[in-house]
Amino acid sequence: MVEYFSSIDRVERSPDLLLDSDEVIVVVDDSKEAALLLTTLLENRHLPVICTGSAESLQTILSERNAALVILDLELPGQDGSDILPELVQNYPDLGIIMVTGSDAAP
């Protein structure tokens, strides 16, 4: 479960109010810089994060862990984020998904 909170709301939220104790956030980006930025941002808020660089490894993580949210790059090696999106939606209906890209040529 991922809860919405506004940046206007300056009250710090405890991670246990945002995620269940066994839930993680998965960052999927083949850009080391973008992955580091997102991971650091989330970890600084004491949120559990797993980072990976491919759609294939995302599938492994989702089969082994309880992910509440995936931050998914559009352009990944092998299989684009937009290609696996329908499968994620179908197989993990409660999973929150945020699509990101560092490219200015997004569809």
Side-chain angles (χ1 to χ4, degrees):
M1 165 189 80
V2 175
E3 259 185 49
Y4 169 80
F5 63 96
S6 170
S7 61
I8 295 170
D9 181 6
R10 298 290 180 193
V11 176
E12 286 294 318
R13 304 282 178 149
S14 173
D16 60 328
L17 294 176
L18 299 173
L19 299 172
D20 290 339
S21 62
D22 66 332
E23 290 180 318
V24 298
I25 298 171
V26 183
V27 173
V28 187
D29 202 316
D30 61 319
S31 163
K32 291 179 180 161
E33 295 84 6
L36 179 62
L37 176 71
L38 291 167
T39 300
T40 301
L41 175 72
L42 295 166
E43 287 177 342
N44 284 345
R45 286 166 174 65
H46 308 288
L47 294 165
V49 182
I50 298 174
C51 188
T52 186
S54 72
E56 181 180 320
S57 60
L58 170 62
Q59 295 295 350
T60 301
I61 292 167
L62 291 177
S63 70
E64 296 173 353
R65 300 295 300 268
N66 185 14
L69 174 66
V70 171
I71 301 175
L72 181 61
D73 187 12
L74 280 172
E75 297 178 6
L76 294 168
Q79 192 175 18
D80 282 346
S82 58
D83 293 336
I84 65 167
L85 182 61
E87 179 183 336
L88 293 176
V89 170
Q90 180 178 346
N91 293 336
Y92 305 94
D94 294 330
L95 179 65
I97 302 168
I98 299 174
M99 302 292 290
V100 298
T101 186
S103 171
D104 58 2

